Amino acid sequence: MSDSYPPYGGQQPDPNVTPWSGPPAPQQGGYPGYGPPAQAPQFGAPIPPPKKSNKGLIIGLAAGAVVLVLAICGAGIGLVLVNGDDDEPTTVATSGPSPDAGGTPGTDASPTPGQDDTEKPSNNAVTARYSSDLSNVCEGGQILNAAAYNGPSGAKAYTFSNNPDRPTSWSSKSVGSNKPYYAKSADFETVSVVGCLKFVEGSEGAPKACQYKDSSDKQVTVNYISSRYTLTFYAAKTGEKIGDGGTVNAPAAKCPSFISYNKTTMKSYAAPDSGSIEAALDKFLS
């Protein structure tokens, strides 16, 4: 077999490649195979510099803007944390008062939830239906539908006295209708002052024997007894004591035309003097 040579300009077979291993890998360096040679930069012609792009600058500015926004938001969060009790005093823990609130540092000027400034009525408070119901004030009660007491000027008043035989029984004591504090029975809701005349234990005077005929026309003797009472003024709506009326006498110097008496003891206690009650009311409500 004769030696065969590749055509001029052809590539020498690679002795390291077997016929079945596929085409040889391109050689590094040397001459290229068939076809035009690869383009190479022409010497003498300047290589144009790469075109400047604002992409990096834009990205950088955008990143800077994000940082700036975060910094501003962070400052805003800091302001909320520092000054947050201006807007939401309950969401920020602080030992001092809010900038707009007065008072002692470390105290909360806002009211506690559920807390009410008005005084709560006691269990003895009642809604009056009649004028006589206001006597409950003399037993420590309150009248829910009574007028509020705002001072003596223009106040309307009722007075009640108890009975030595029945200390918890209170009867109304009338005053002159010409008095500025007078109120009709139907106008009990306008009353703001209740005067309570309480019998002074041991204040009984010598009894006065008075002769009467009972319902069966039988002659009876009733011991009519003088005594003393203490007058105390209360606010009808709250039951709060608002003044003292002093001592009011219950004279028994003269036997009355009509009398109520205890059939067992045959005693009757004189009522407090109406003139003394009016004088005490005049002084207190003037």
Side-chain angles (χ1 to χ4, degrees):
M1 182 182 296
S2 61
D3 296 331
S4 61
Y5 299 95
Y8 178 76
Q11 187 175 12
Q12 294 293 333
D14 189 347
N16 297 319
V17 178
T18 63
W20 307 101
S21 61
Q27 293 182 352
Q28 300 294 329
Y31 295 99
Y34 293 103
Q39 292 289 335
Q42 301 294 324
F43 295 101
I47 301 175
K51 185 176 181 181
K52 293 183 178 180
S53 173
N54 292 331
K55 185 176 182 182
L57 178 59
I58 293 173
I59 293 175
L61 289 175
V66 172
V67 173
L68 180 60
V69 169
L70 289 176
I72 293 174
C73 291
I77 293 171
L79 289 174
V80 170
L81 292 176
V82 174
N83 298 323
D85 53 352
D86 277 349
D87 300 326
E88 306 212 12
T90 59
T91 59
V92 179
T94 176
S95 61
S98 62
D100 294 334
T104 306
T107 60
D108 187 0
S110 60
T112 304
Q115 185 178 359
D116 192 351
D117 291 337
T118 20
E119 184 181 350
K120 301 297 182 183
S122 71
N123 293 343
N124 295 324
V126 299
T127 298
R129 296 183 299 166
Y130 309 101
S131 60
S132 59
D133 291 336
L134 273 75
S135 65
N136 283 285
V137 174
C138 299
E139 289 292 324
Q142 299 166 274
I143 308 302
L144 297 175
N145 55 335
Y149 177 70
N150 297 314
S153 179
K156 303 295 183 181
Y158 282 162
T159 56
F160 300 90
S161 69
N162 68 348
N163 189 300
D165 287 332
R166 298 183 302 276
T168 58
S169 178
W170 298 83
S171 58
S172 175
K173 300 303 170 187
S174 61
V175 295
S177 58
N178 61 328
K179 297 294 182 180
Y181 44 80
Y182 169 81
K184 295 180 180 179
S185 296
D187 298 332
F188 61 88
E189 290 186 354
T190 67
V191 173
S192 61
V193 176
V194 172
C196 299
L197 290 149
K198 186 176 181 180
F199 173 77
V200 178
E201 295 289 343
S203 65
E204 298 95 328
K208 182 178 181 63
C210 296
Q211 304 297 318
Y212 298 94
K213 286 185 178 181
D214 64 9
S215 57
S216 63
D217 206 29
K218 180 183 177 180
Q219 188 77 27
V220 295
T221 301
V222 176
N223 293 316
Y224 192 47
I225 303 172
S226 64
S227 62
R228 293 189 303 274
Y229 288 78
T230 56
L231 176 57
T232 307
F233 297 112
Y234 298 90
K237 196 174 189 68
T238 64
E240 178 187 4
K241 179 182 175 180
I242 55 177
D244 289 311
T247 301
V248 175
N249 291 329
K254 182 181 178 181
C255 294
S257 300
F258 300 93
I259 195 169
S260 295
Y261 62 97
N262 186 312
K263 288 185 178 182
T264 301
T265 64
M266 298 302 292
K267 290 182 179 180
S268 177
Y269 288 88
D273 179 55
S274 297
S276 298
I277 294 173
E278 287 188 357
L281 285 166
D282 289 343
K283 182 178 180 181
F284 180 70
L285 296 178
S286 59

